[in-house]
Amino acid sequence: MPASDPSASSPRLWSRKHILGLQDLSANELTMILDRAAEFKRFFSDGCTKLDHLKGVTVGNLFFEPSTRTKTSFGLAAKRLSAEIVDFTASSSSLTKGETFIDTARNIEAMGVTQMVVRHATSGVPHQLARHLNAGVINAGDGTHEHPTQGLLDIFTIRAHRGSLSGLTVALVGDILHSRVARSNIWGLKKLGAKVIVCGPATLIPVHIERLGVEVSHSLDDIVERTDVINLLRIQAERQRSAFFPSIYEYAHFFGMNGNRVRRARKNVLILAPGPINRGVELTSEVADGDQSVILDQVTNGLFVRMSCLSLMHEAATRPPTVNTVRSEEVIV
Ligand code: CP
């Protein structure tokens, strides 16, 4: 193991078998994941191309919904840690013959998969699998509930550019109602000391969301000058069963980020978007490709965040029972 190997330098112990949402994690646990990801990033920037943390491990990539970034990123993260990876795509599987997703996952587990990365259109599916499998489960996005590794990579990217989350004002703009990314961002950002504003048409903001400790705004123009970070969330058309706004044109006019709004924003404002982006809707190409955009940094950082999650979970699963595992509330930072 190289001297600067991230797992060798961390004095803290991870105790969780599954990573299902940022609502469950303490600030200390979030920081552990971010710190390990930062170490991986440094390590790979220094020329490392592969580590052996997951040698002999097989990771299942179970995607019951389409994905470009998350699926590729988890696959690459597993490979960089020397794991085998099994890719599963629902549309070409025996699910089409009537098999349940639990039977499907149990059959894949029976082939020796010990970590399952799961995306599903229904909220709670990763939690159900965590109850039915021996494997560790990572939620790669469940319905409108959570997308924890996206929240983590968004937070990682902000921290990398600003040093700390504490005291920052982060705006989440768009389809908050259907966005699992919004929920993971809210839990994670609040725990790490950021102020969160959710902004969108009233029809796309959940009622009582202020109970999560966020400010609600229905005008991007009102908040654009007082935010450090603007995260532009996609209109989740696939989860919308009725019209939530009159037209895409009107949405873009009132809630889309364009060059004029960026010029009114703080000079060092960070523009994030989880992707996939709809150019001309949530943001214009001028903004997506502009100097304030860190959208591709997010994608790069996602790889290290996912390596961090996979390696920490594996350490918890394989730690000898004689070692006293520190409970999450007791982890010392
Ligand atoms: N951000 C995100 O989850 O992208 P994919 O749907 O492409 O994985």
PDB file of all heavy atoms in Angstrom, residues 66-70 119 147 150 274-275, ligand 1:
ATOM      1  N   PRO A  66     -32.675   5.280 -16.516  1.00  0.00           N
ATOM      2  CA  PRO A  66     -31.509   5.700 -17.304  1.00  0.00           C
ATOM      3  C   PRO A  66     -30.504   6.528 -16.506  1.00  0.00           C
ATOM      4  O   PRO A  66     -30.867   7.198 -15.530  1.00  0.00           O
ATOM      5  CB  PRO A  66     -32.118   6.562 -18.416  1.00  0.00           C
ATOM      6  CG  PRO A  66     -33.562   6.203 -18.451  1.00  0.00           C
ATOM      7  CD  PRO A  66     -33.946   5.789 -17.060  1.00  0.00           C
ATOM      8  N   SER A  67     -29.254   6.472 -16.914  1.00  0.00           N
ATOM      9  CA  SER A  67     -28.189   7.265 -16.276  1.00  0.00           C
ATOM     10  C   SER A  67     -26.995   7.339 -17.217  1.00  0.00           C
ATOM     11  O   SER A  67     -26.674   6.357 -17.884  1.00  0.00           O
ATOM     12  CB  SER A  67     -27.764   6.605 -14.966  1.00  0.00           C
ATOM     13  OG  SER A  67     -26.580   7.205 -14.475  1.00  0.00           O
ATOM     14  N   THR A  68     -26.363   8.486 -17.255  1.00  0.00           N
ATOM     15  CA  THR A  68     -25.054   8.606 -17.928  1.00  0.00           C
ATOM     16  C   THR A  68     -23.972   8.773 -16.872  1.00  0.00           C
ATOM     17  O   THR A  68     -23.081   7.942 -16.715  1.00  0.00           O
ATOM     18  CB  THR A  68     -25.046   9.812 -18.897  1.00  0.00           C
ATOM     19  OG1 THR A  68     -26.020   9.575 -19.901  1.00  0.00           O
ATOM     20  CG2 THR A  68     -23.672   9.992 -19.543  1.00  0.00           C
ATOM     21  N   ARG A  69     -24.058   9.873 -16.101  1.00  0.00           N
ATOM     22  CA  ARG A  69     -23.010  10.225 -15.157  1.00  0.00           C
ATOM     23  C   ARG A  69     -22.865   9.226 -14.005  1.00  0.00           C
ATOM     24  O   ARG A  69     -21.770   8.728 -13.723  1.00  0.00           O
ATOM     25  CB  ARG A  69     -23.296  11.611 -14.536  1.00  0.00           C
ATOM     26  CG  ARG A  69     -22.909  12.783 -15.411  1.00  0.00           C
ATOM     27  CD  ARG A  69     -23.906  13.932 -15.215  1.00  0.00           C
ATOM     28  NE  ARG A  69     -25.165  13.537 -15.822  1.00  0.00           N
ATOM     29  CZ  ARG A  69     -25.455  13.750 -17.104  1.00  0.00           C
ATOM     30  NH1 ARG A  69     -24.640  14.437 -17.837  1.00  0.00           N
ATOM     31  NH2 ARG A  69     -26.586  13.314 -17.648  1.00  0.00           N
ATOM     32  N   THR A  70     -23.972   8.943 -13.318  1.00  0.00           N
ATOM     33  CA  THR A  70     -23.878   8.167 -12.077  1.00  0.00           C
ATOM     34  C   THR A  70     -23.407   6.742 -12.361  1.00  0.00           C
ATOM     35  O   THR A  70     -22.525   6.216 -11.667  1.00  0.00           O
ATOM     36  CB  THR A  70     -25.245   8.156 -11.365  1.00  0.00           C
ATOM     37  OG1 THR A  70     -25.757   9.483 -11.351  1.00  0.00           O
ATOM     38  CG2 THR A  70     -25.120   7.638  -9.949  1.00  0.00           C
ATOM     39  N   ARG A 119     -30.276   2.374  -8.578  1.00  0.00           N
ATOM     40  CA  ARG A 119     -31.136   3.507  -8.967  1.00  0.00           C
ATOM     41  C   ARG A 119     -32.501   2.951  -9.357  1.00  0.00           C
ATOM     42  O   ARG A 119     -32.588   1.958 -10.084  1.00  0.00           O
ATOM     43  CB  ARG A 119     -30.540   4.272 -10.145  1.00  0.00           C
ATOM     44  CG  ARG A 119     -31.548   5.267 -10.749  1.00  0.00           C
ATOM     45  CD  ARG A 119     -30.960   6.161 -11.775  1.00  0.00           C
ATOM     46  NE  ARG A 119     -30.073   7.152 -11.159  1.00  0.00           N
ATOM     47  CZ  ARG A 119     -29.563   8.191 -11.807  1.00  0.00           C
ATOM     48  NH1 ARG A 119     -29.858   8.385 -13.088  1.00  0.00           N
ATOM     49  NH2 ARG A 119     -28.767   9.042 -11.204  1.00  0.00           N
ATOM     50  N   HIS A 147     -30.651  11.457  -3.717  1.00  0.00           N
ATOM     51  CA  HIS A 147     -29.560  11.072  -4.621  1.00  0.00           C
ATOM     52  C   HIS A 147     -28.282  11.451  -3.855  1.00  0.00           C
ATOM     53  O   HIS A 147     -27.651  12.465  -4.137  1.00  0.00           O
ATOM     54  CB  HIS A 147     -29.697  11.837  -5.934  1.00  0.00           C
ATOM     55  CG  HIS A 147     -28.790  11.379  -7.039  1.00  0.00           C
ATOM     56  ND1 HIS A 147     -27.741  10.490  -6.855  1.00  0.00           N
ATOM     57  CD2 HIS A 147     -28.796  11.684  -8.368  1.00  0.00           C
ATOM     58  CE1 HIS A 147     -27.131  10.287  -8.013  1.00  0.00           C
ATOM     59  NE2 HIS A 147     -27.760  11.000  -8.951  1.00  0.00           N
ATOM     60  N   GLN A 150     -24.929  12.407  -5.477  1.00  0.00           N
ATOM     61  CA  GLN A 150     -24.991  13.689  -6.215  1.00  0.00           C
ATOM     62  C   GLN A 150     -24.905  14.846  -5.217  1.00  0.00           C
ATOM     63  O   GLN A 150     -24.167  15.815  -5.450  1.00  0.00           O
ATOM     64  CB  GLN A 150     -26.288  13.780  -7.018  1.00  0.00           C
ATOM     65  CG  GLN A 150     -26.422  15.070  -7.821  1.00  0.00           C
ATOM     66  CD  GLN A 150     -25.423  15.163  -8.966  1.00  0.00           C
ATOM     67  OE1 GLN A 150     -25.252  14.222  -9.714  1.00  0.00           O
ATOM     68  NE2 GLN A 150     -24.753  16.302  -9.104  1.00  0.00           N
ATOM     69  N   PRO A 274     -26.654  19.500 -11.784  1.00  0.00           N
ATOM     70  CA  PRO A 274     -26.345  18.078 -11.640  1.00  0.00           C
ATOM     71  C   PRO A 274     -26.285  17.336 -12.980  1.00  0.00           C
ATOM     72  O   PRO A 274     -25.652  16.283 -13.064  1.00  0.00           O
ATOM     73  CB  PRO A 274     -27.492  17.538 -10.786  1.00  0.00           C
ATOM     74  CG  PRO A 274     -28.436  18.641 -10.537  1.00  0.00           C
ATOM     75  CD  PRO A 274     -27.928  19.880 -11.186  1.00  0.00           C
ATOM     76  N   GLY A 275     -26.928  17.872 -13.994  1.00  0.00           N
ATOM     77  CA  GLY A 275     -26.972  17.181 -15.269  1.00  0.00           C
ATOM     78  C   GLY A 275     -27.978  16.019 -15.210  1.00  0.00           C
ATOM     79  O   GLY A 275     -28.275  15.520 -14.134  1.00  0.00           O
TER      80      GLY A 275
HETATM   81  N1   CP B   1     -26.827  13.720 -12.259  1.00  0.00           N
HETATM   82  C1   CP B   1     -27.212  12.487 -12.568  1.00  0.00           C
HETATM   83  O1   CP B   1     -27.689  11.680 -11.735  1.00  0.00           O
HETATM   84  O2   CP B   1     -27.001  12.165 -13.892  1.00  0.00           O
HETATM   85  P1   CP B   1     -27.383  10.787 -14.559  1.00  0.00           P
HETATM   86  O3   CP B   1     -28.890  10.656 -14.554  1.00  0.00           O
HETATM   87  O4   CP B   1     -26.826  10.856 -15.962  1.00  0.00           O
HETATM   88  O5   CP B   1     -26.760   9.686 -13.760  1.00  0.00           O
END
